[in-house]
Amino acid sequence: MIVDDSAVVRQVLTASLASDPEINVIGSAADPLFALDKMSKMWPDVIVLDVEMPRMDGITFLRKLMVEHPTPVVICSTLTEKGAATTMQALAAGAAGIVAKPKVGLKNFLQDSADSLIGTVKAAARVNINRLIPRRQAVATSLSIPVPVAAKLTADAILSAANYAMAETTERVIAIGASTGGTQALERVLTALPRVCPGIVVVQHMPEKFTAAFAERLNSLCQIEVREAKSGDRVVPGLALIAQGGRHVLMKRSGAQYYVDVVDGPPVSRHKPSVDVLFRSVAKCAGRNALGIIMTGMGDDGAKGMKEMHDMGAPTLAQDEESCVVYGMPKEAVKLGGVDNSISLDDIAQEIITYGRRR
């Protein structure tokens, strides 16, 4: 079911999705109230939902769905700063994925992005919806007062801490890859980390323009510093760098220091940013001094890169099937032989803390 107040968007989305023989568009509606009336006759497997609509906005409708009739939802949001911030609210409320749409050139853009749209809808159809429903604790966290600036140690402050030797700050790094369901999973992990922990680089499959808002949201909730990665950023304790949407991120080393390089290029493993690109670069520059973690997501991105990390002596972890929204990427990494252990989402933060304390 497609819910969008734009007739053009409904038309183009319907045509794009209907081009795939495995997808049946059962209807479209201009707002959630019209949609509910149509869905009472046949409930869809996936809903593609606009955010700004008359009578009831998309966020309100999404929250209502997750309480009354949990259903995978793909948010169709504009490529604007306001649209990105609203989309973060939708992901926190349980949305399964994002489809970006520009303010101008909409028809051509959506037609050119048909493969991405179809892939996102198919991934949503396979999610464990119970894992997407926000827990009371998660909802309370998302509504809590942001960590005060005075209480948050910046990465530079941690580097200058008297008892934190340079060898320690540069030796251990963490590489994390995630896709469908990853925004909630990453929030669970990163908010559980103390201010001082190994430097982290994250690839979360997400369109460009949205990763900056995602990083800002995490930064407001976490004790560690979280920001969108830029070329030249150092990977240091107490800092998590989120790969930019639409760009690859690589980890590199200069002497005793690790840093990231953000580059353009074709999709790898059908994604940009790609987990494989990050993991392979980490295997090359950090070897056994890195911890690799692959989390919930559809497809096989990251499996080959994790195998390379494993073969270079890096410890590697996969989120287990029971706690995944979609057990795709971790499953492929396990099948390829690149995973040392599969663990629950709730245990990942403690593994990172333990790894950082090892000599």
Side-chain angles (χ1 to χ4, degrees):
M1 172 65 69
I2 296 166
V3 187
D4 197 298
D5 63 340
S6 166
V8 173
V9 171
R10 296 197 302 272
Q11 179 185 6
V12 175
L13 288 177
T14 298
S16 297
L17 292 171
S19 68
D20 189 293
E22 296 180 341
I23 296 177
N24 176 30
V25 180
I26 65 172
S28 64
D31 68 36
L33 299 182
F34 285 130
L36 283 171
D37 182 57
K38 292 186 176 184
M39 292 191 300
S40 65
K41 302 176 181 65
M42 180 185 291
W43 201 268
D45 298 306
V46 178
I47 299 169
V48 178
L49 180 65
D50 189 18
V51 175
E52 297 180 5
M53 290 175 290
R55 300 205 292 173
M56 180 185 289
D57 66 88
I59 304 298
T60 300
F61 182 49
L62 173 61
R63 289 173 177 154
K64 178 180 174 68
L65 279 173
M66 289 303 167
V67 172
E68 300 177 5
H69 198 312
T71 306
V73 172
V74 173
I75 292 293
C76 195
S77 183
T78 53
L79 284 169
T80 63
E81 185 174 337
K82 180 181 177 182
T86 305
T87 301
M88 292 308 106
Q89 296 179 40
L91 289 170
I98 310 168
V99 175
K101 59 181 180 182
K103 297 185 72 174
V104 295
L106 182 61
K107 188 170 183 178
N108 290 336
F109 177 85
L110 288 173
Q111 288 173 338
D112 293 341
S113 304
D115 289 344
S116 176
L117 168 66
I118 290 168
T120 303
V121 168
K122 286 185 174 182
R126 294 178 56 184
V127 304
N128 180 341
I129 191 61
N130 293 324
R131 292 290 173 191
L132 276 175
I133 300 173
R135 301 182 306 175
R136 287 185 179 182
Q137 180 180 353
V139 173
T141 299
S142 69
L143 297 175
S144 63
I145 299 173
V147 178
V149 174
K152 186 190 287 286
L153 287 176
T154 65
D156 290 337
I158 291 173
L159 274 177
S160 64
N163 295 324
Y164 217 87
M166 178 55 71
E168 188 108 2
T169 63
T170 56
E171 275 194 358
R172 296 196 180 279
V173 290
I174 313 289
I176 302 177
S179 187
T180 309
T183 53
Q184 285 190 8
L186 285 165
E187 182 177 323
R188 290 264 291 278
V189 171
L190 298 185
T191 55
L193 296 177
R195 295 175 184 175
V196 179
C197 65
I200 301 169
V201 182
V202 176
V203 167
Q204 163 68 47
H205 294 159
M206 188 178 284
E208 61 180 314
K209 306 292 186 183
F210 293 102
T211 44
F214 179 49
E216 288 173 10
R217 171 181 166 76
L218 290 175
N219 191 55
S220 74
L221 300 173
C222 295
Q223 295 186 64
I224 63 172
E225 183 181 1
V226 185
R227 63 175 186 253
E228 188 181 56
K230 300 188 298 293
S231 285
D233 281 346
R234 289 179 58 191
V235 183
V236 295
L239 173 65
L241 297 171
I242 308 295
Q244 292 182 23
R247 298 287 187 276
H248 293 302
V249 63
L250 301 92
M251 188 182 295
K252 295 186 176 182
R253 183 165 183 163
S254 177
Q257 299 179 358
Y258 294 101
Y259 67 97
V260 296
D261 193 13
V262 178
V263 300
D264 201 356
V268 175
S269 301
R270 299 175 299 282
H271 294 283
K272 187 170 69 169
S274 165
V275 182
D276 270 327
V277 170
L278 171 63
F279 282 2
R280 285 171 173 168
S281 69
V282 173
K284 181 178 180 181
C285 76
R288 65 181 64 219
N289 291 323
L291 170 65
I293 303 172
I294 193 161
M295 296 169 62
T296 176
M298 183 175 173
D300 61 359
D301 186 26
K304 293 178 181 177
M306 176 155 277
K307 182 65 163 60
E308 290 185 22
M309 288 186 66
H310 179 271
D311 291 347
M312 292 298 290
T316 53
L317 300 172
Q319 185 178 346
D320 65 13
E321 183 174 7
E322 184 179 354
S323 65
C324 277
V325 171
V326 179
Y327 187 58
M329 287 163 50
K331 178 181 179 180
E332 294 303 318
V334 170
K335 283 172 58 178
L336 206 58
V339 175
D340 291 324
N341 292 297
S342 293
I343 62 173
S344 170
L345 173 63
D346 290 329
D347 295 330
I348 292 176
Q350 185 56 53
E351 287 291 331
I352 292 174
I353 294 167
T354 302
Y355 176 75
R357 289 174 178 166
R358 291 177 189 157
R359 291 289 185 265

